[in-house]
Amino acid sequence: RKEVEQDPGPFNVPEGATVAFNCTYSNSASQSFFWYRQDCRKEPKLLMSVYSSGNEDGRFTAQLNRASQYISLLIRDSKLSDSATYLCVVNRVTGGGNKLTFGTGTQLKVEL
Amino acid sequence: DGGITQSPKYLFRKEGQNVTLSCEQNLNHDAMYWYRQDPGQGLRLIYYSQIVNDFQKGDIAEGYSVSREKKESFPLTVTSAQKNPTAFYLCASSRLGQGQPQHFGDGTRLSIL
């Protein structure tokens, strides 16, 4: 089983739609969580950290359920510019420092 | 502007050659990382370093080497022992401590001639 699992998509949605991505992780020692966005042939960019209480940044809301080892990202009022691949990222601290594990990403295509 | 600079953007290697990818950051971050990304796969960690003159192997270190002589710089050498080097290579840096996100350079695409 992969350490971080995501539905690869693609999710094709109309502009203005609300879309939700899910992610599960297998290592209960994981301590911090992030969503990154990656455009085609570009580097990943941090979208938001994910906190236990849930957090919101504009149209984006992230939730964490530690008991179920589940992370979600909700995008409201989606824009054409939201089209990208969204990477779920899980961090745990090892003897050598922080170790990030990346999911393979969920592709979003927002259409007119 | 603070950031991470990777060079070159595109690199072509002949069979049997070693090549070195550059990564420089001016964010004053202690930790630096190298990943490779292949189509349809997540990023995989090659090497990482938390402090000058020290580094650790990641999940796929075979065929690669690194050095960390300066805080700002973490070059990656892809040796001839790496049998499948064609990939997108990404360098990242972060502050130390739990919960610190990593910030990425814009990557180097390596191809075999």
Side-chain angles (χ1 to χ4, degrees):
Chain A
R1 184 186 170 191
K2 289 182 183 177
E3 194 167 338
V4 178
E5 297 213 53
Q6 297 182 251
D7 182 338
F11 284 47
N12 297 319
V13 303
E15 201 173 15
T18 296
V19 60
F21 303 140
N22 302 321
C23 168
T24 58
Y25 61 95
S26 60
N27 193 328
S28 59
S30 301
Q31 293 163 306
S32 48
F33 310 88
F34 308 94
W35 284 101
Y36 279 74
R37 169 196 170 126
Q38 187 173 25
D39 292 284
C40 188
R41 299 180 69 81
K42 299 284 191 181
E43 76 277 20
K45 292 185 178 177
L46 178 68
L47 181 65
M48 59 199 302
S49 301
V50 186
Y51 302 117
S52 297
S53 54
N55 49 299
E56 189 174 305
D57 182 0
R59 297 182 293 109
F60 299 85
T61 301
Q63 297 276 357
L64 167 64
N65 183 324
R66 285 188 187 270
S68 303
Q69 296 182 195
Y70 170 95
I71 305 158
S72 66
L73 176 68
L74 184 77
I75 305 176
R76 290 181 299 278
D77 188 24
S78 53
K79 312 288 184 195
L80 294 174
S81 57
D82 293 333
S83 298
T85 297
Y86 290 83
L87 305 177
C88 174
V89 184
V90 170
N91 181 51
R92 59 187 168 86
V93 178
T94 68
N98 288 314
K99 185 174 189 296
L100 290 190
T101 302
F102 289 76
T104 53
T106 299
Q107 189 179 12
L108 172 65
K109 296 181 181 179
V110 182
E111 302 163 334
L112 287 171
Chain B
D1 284 343
I4 302 172
T5 303
Q6 289 188 242
S7 63
K9 199 171 180 67
Y10 299 95
L11 186 59
F12 298 91
R13 191 190 95 167
K14 290 184 180 178
E15 295 281 352
Q17 266 186 342
N18 292 355
V19 291
T20 298
L21 283 56
S22 170
C23 178
E24 304 276 331
Q25 54 98 1
N26 60 6
L27 299 168
N28 200 32
H29 286 170
D30 288 293
M32 296 186 74
Y33 310 81
W34 274 104
Y35 295 89
R36 71 175 273 170
Q37 187 175 34
D38 296 278
Q41 296 198 39
L43 277 69
R44 292 184 290 166
L45 182 65
I46 303 172
Y47 268 98
Y48 63 106
S49 167
Q50 294 194 98
I51 194 170
V52 173
N53 293 323
D54 188 44
F55 46 83
Q56 286 79 40
K57 292 182 178 180
D59 300 318
I60 54 163
E62 187 175 347
Y64 299 97
S65 66
V66 293
S67 62
R68 186 90 188 273
E69 296 177 4
K70 298 186 300 181
K71 185 176 182 177
E72 301 78 19
S73 179
F74 192 41
L76 174 75
T77 296
V78 184
T79 74
S80 56
Q82 172 49 241
K83 297 306 177 191
N84 186 22
T86 296
F88 186 37
Y89 289 86
L90 288 156
C91 178
S93 71
S94 73
R95 291 193 175 96
L96 293 177
Q98 187 202 135
Q100 295 295 331
Q102 293 178 14
H103 302 273
F104 287 84
D106 56 8
T108 293
R109 291 196 180 274
L110 175 62
S111 302
I112 299 302
L113 289 176

